[in-house]
């Protein structure tokens, strides 16, 4: 078994960030995090493994990999001498340690880089070790974790080092094709060829606070284009704000965060459902529109838009376990109007995605009033592709006035982002259940609702345009919105009659906001029933039945 080899620390340590004094033993207990400023100092690979993996679970993978000097490279000293010095100083053969173990009881194969060894640079041996670790994960069908710490590709090995970017990327592609979860933990620093290959190819990217990542380093950028850089440039927080990493987690929380992620992404049989649990307490799904009251349409609009109506995050908190929210479209944005991530529903893994609004003016403004930008739809598409890779069902909660109608959204390709989501959902090889929980506004709603089963709460609405927009265009009077709502048939009873939704989930008296707990219980029962029904269908049949469902829509005689 592997045990951590710690670098001896003096009795007192000076933080390299704030220069505060820290007691050495406390600094060690705090996993090398400054108690004053929270700076995360660099860890050795052995320290990292001990901090992340379950005690006693780590087993060293001693892959027979050759190290050498393929170019006979000499700068101020021969490369061979630099290698020997690094090996003597670190006790490592190369800049990465490979292990098999567990995190929170979840099996994992890990490759952990060590910056002490020639700056964690990516040479032929490091590339081979990363690739062999990935190949073992593939052979054992076990999630792969890579912990990165690197200045980039190893210059002393020339183009051979460059080729390791392609080789490791190819290994990750094979894991994608096999449906095996990959996770990257970004530590400080992660640059160059490592950032531009396996570090950013993982399904989920977690970063430590303050960790820097980029292709070109700050000095290279400043010297090349003479451009001043913004505060916090390339830090984990900077990257998270731009949707380039999923989450930033302090070191003390990493093991539990990774454990929840590995657990949510693991395939386990669902727990048996209690008898009668699929329909909810006294609230079976309504499939005949005649069983729904013919209420005032505008009242449904009012209830669907109520500020105290439960949001996607509220419902996720009530119905799902082990929810791990994932962030970012990996292209530079993280729209807060879309929330989603891996979770468990009665023990079974799902990918749950929803439009997010809010209950207060501040929350609504932060979430863009539930109107996604292109980054939101691209984030949702990324999560759906991950669900397809892992073979887990997709559940979407629809509640939006529509896609964001702004200049920036149009400039960033709003129409194309929605179209891509529609096309993607028509071909997802996993069960898809969508529920309109509040507003279903136009293509912004449909982008998350191309499903095998489409449900709606009894006070939800779904329309090609808002009643106000329709009234302004056709009546030339926004005050005619109630009449427009009636003519558009936006209410659940009409939607069921038209076949837009397959069933309606009855709400408690006064609407879902009147008794959120009961509404959540009925939502969970409805989703569970839908997934149970679809679970017997294979991937090809799921795709075909979904396409047949949407192919049938045409004018009624």
């Amino acid at each position: 078994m592997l045990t951590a080899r710690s670098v001896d620390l003096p009795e007192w340590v000076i933080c390299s960030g704030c220069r505060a004094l820290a007691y050495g033993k406390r600094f060690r207990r705090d996993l090398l995090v400054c108690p004053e400023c929270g700076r995360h100092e660099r860890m050795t690979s052995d320290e990292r493994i001990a901090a992340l993996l379950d005690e006693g679970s780590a087993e060293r993978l001693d892959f027979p990999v050759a190290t050498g000097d393929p170019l006979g490279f000499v700068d101020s000293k021969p490369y061979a001498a630099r290698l020997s010095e690094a090996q003597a100083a670190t006790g490592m053969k190369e800049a990465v340690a490979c292990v098999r173990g567990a995190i929170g009881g979840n099996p994992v194969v890990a490759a952990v880089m060590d910056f002490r060894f020639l700056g964690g640079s990516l040479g032929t041996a490091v590339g081979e070790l990363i690739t062999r670790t990935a190949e073992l994960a593939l052979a054992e069908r076990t999630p792969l974790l890579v912990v990165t710490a690197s200045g980039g590709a190893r210059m002393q090995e020339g183009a051979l080092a460059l080729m390791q970017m392609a080789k490791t990327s190819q290994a990750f592609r094979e894991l994608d094709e096999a449906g095996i979860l990959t996770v990257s933990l970004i530590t400080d620093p992660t640059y160059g060829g490592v950032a531009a290959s396996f570090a950013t190819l993982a399904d989920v990217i977690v970063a430590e606070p303050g960790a820097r990542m980029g292709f070109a380093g700050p000095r290279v950028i400043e010297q090349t284009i003479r451009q001043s850089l913004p505060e916090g440039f390339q830090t984990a927080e900077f990257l998270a704000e731009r949707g380039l990493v999923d989450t930033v987690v302090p070191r003390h929380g990493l093991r539990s965060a990774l454990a929840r992620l590995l657990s949510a992404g693991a395939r386990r049989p669902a727990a048996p459902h209690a008898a009668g649990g699929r329909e909810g307490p006294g609230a079976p799904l309504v499939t005949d529109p005649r069983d729904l009251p013919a209420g005032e349409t505008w009242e449904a609009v009012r209830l669907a838009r109520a500020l105290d109506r439960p949001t996607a995050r509220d419902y996720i908190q009530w119905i799902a376990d082990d929810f791990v929210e994932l962030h970012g479209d990996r292209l530079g944005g993280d729209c807060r109007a879309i929330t989603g991530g891996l979770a468990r529903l009665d023990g079974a893994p799902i990918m749950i995605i929803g439009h997010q609004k809010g209950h207060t003016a501040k929350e609504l403004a932060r979430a863009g009033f539930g109107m996604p930008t292109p980054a939101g739809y691209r984030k949702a598409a990324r999560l759906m592709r991950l669900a397809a890779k892992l073979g887990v069902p997709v559940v979407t909660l629809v509640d939006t006035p529509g896609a964001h109608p702004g200049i920036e959204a149009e400039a960033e390709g709003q129409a194309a982002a929605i179209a891509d989501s529609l096309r993607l959902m028509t071909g997802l090889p996993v069960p898809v259940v969508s529920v309109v929980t509040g507003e279903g506004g136009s293509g912004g709603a449909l982008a998350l609702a191309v499903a095998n089963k489409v449900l709606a709460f009894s006070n939800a609405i779904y329309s090609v345009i808002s009643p106000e927009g329709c009234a302004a265009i056709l009546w030339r009077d926004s005050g005619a919105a109630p009449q427009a709502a009636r003519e558009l048939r936006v209410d659940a009873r009409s939607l069921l009659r038209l076949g837009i939704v397959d069933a309606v989930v009855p709400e408690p008296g006064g609407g879902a906001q009147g008794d959120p707990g009961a509404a959540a219980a009925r939502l969970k029962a409805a989703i569970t029933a839908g997934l149970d029904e679809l679970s017997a269908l294979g991937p090809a049949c799921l795709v075909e039945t979904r396409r047949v469902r949407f192919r049938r829509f045409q004018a009624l005689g």
Side-chain angles (χ1 to χ4, degrees), residues 218-530:
R219 278 187 295 178
V220 172
I221 295 171
E222 290 174 335
Q223 291 172 7
T224 302
I225 63 175
R226 308 297 180 185
Q227 185 177 359
S228 59
L229 303 178
E231 184 71 23
F233 179 67
Q234 293 183 326
T235 62
E237 295 76 12
F238 179 94
L239 299 169
E241 184 68 23
R242 288 155 181 79
L244 299 173
V245 302
D246 283 287
T247 184
V248 180
V249 181
R251 192 168 286 166
H252 275 286
L254 280 172
R255 181 185 287 181
S256 61
L258 292 173
R260 287 193 300 117
L261 177 61
L262 294 172
S263 176
R267 299 177 185 175
R268 299 176 190 165
H273 298 293
R278 299 181 185 184
E279 293 185 345
L285 292 174
V286 177
T287 56
D288 188 334
R290 293 170 296 184
D291 293 334
L292 291 171
E296 169 53 47
T297 304
W298 190 246
E299 177 64 9
V301 174
R302 188 190 66 79
L303 289 171
R305 293 173 172 175
L307 281 179
D308 56 349
R309 196 171 179 87
T311 68
R313 283 204 178 94
D314 294 331
Y315 282 127
I316 291 170
Q317 180 181 353
W318 283 321
I319 72 174
D321 299 315
D322 297 326
F323 176 61
V324 180
E325 186 171 7
L326 304 178
H327 291 272
D329 65 352
R330 294 287 187 273
L331 295 175
D334 182 35
C335 173
R336 293 186 174 93
I338 294 286
T339 186
L342 287 162
R344 288 192 172 275
L345 187 68
D346 287 340
I350 60 170
M351 181 69 76
I352 189 163
I353 305 166
H355 295 99
Q356 176 63 23
K357 288 184 177 178
H359 297 297
T360 66
K362 184 177 180 180
E363 290 174 352
L364 283 165
R366 177 178 171 82
F369 296 88
M371 296 183 291
T373 63
Y377 291 112
R378 289 172 181 139
K379 173 169 67 173
R382 175 189 151 230
L383 301 190
M384 290 183 212
R385 290 186 175 98
L386 176 55
K389 169 184 170 175
L390 299 177
V392 302
V394 172
V395 173
T396 66
L397 306 178
V398 176
D399 185 14
T400 180
H404 191 276
I407 296 173
E408 296 84 359
E410 293 300 321
E412 294 167 7
Q414 184 74 286
I418 292 172
D420 181 63
S421 185
L422 297 175
R423 177 174 59 183
L424 172 66
M425 294 192 79
T426 65
L428 287 176
V430 295
V432 184
V433 174
S434 296
V435 185
V436 184
T437 61
E439 287 186 274
S442 188
L446 182 61
L448 293 191
V450 183
N452 297 95
K453 293 287 182 182
V454 181
L455 312 175
F457 268 124
S458 54
N459 288 312
I461 60 173
Y462 199 0
S463 177
V464 67
I465 191 173
S466 70
E468 292 86 351
C470 178
I473 294 171
L474 298 182
W475 277 265
R476 299 186 184 277
D477 176 12
S478 59
Q483 182 181 354
R486 289 191 295 273
E487 296 297 329
L488 286 166
R489 308 292 195 266
V490 302
D491 59 289
R493 189 171 190 264
S494 298
L495 296 170
L496 186 57
R497 182 179 62 80
L498 294 169
I500 303 299
V501 301
D502 300 300
V504 170
V505 184
E507 297 184 33
Q513 53 269 49
D515 190 343
R522 295 178 185 185
L523 174 66
K524 180 177 181 179
I527 292 170
T528 300

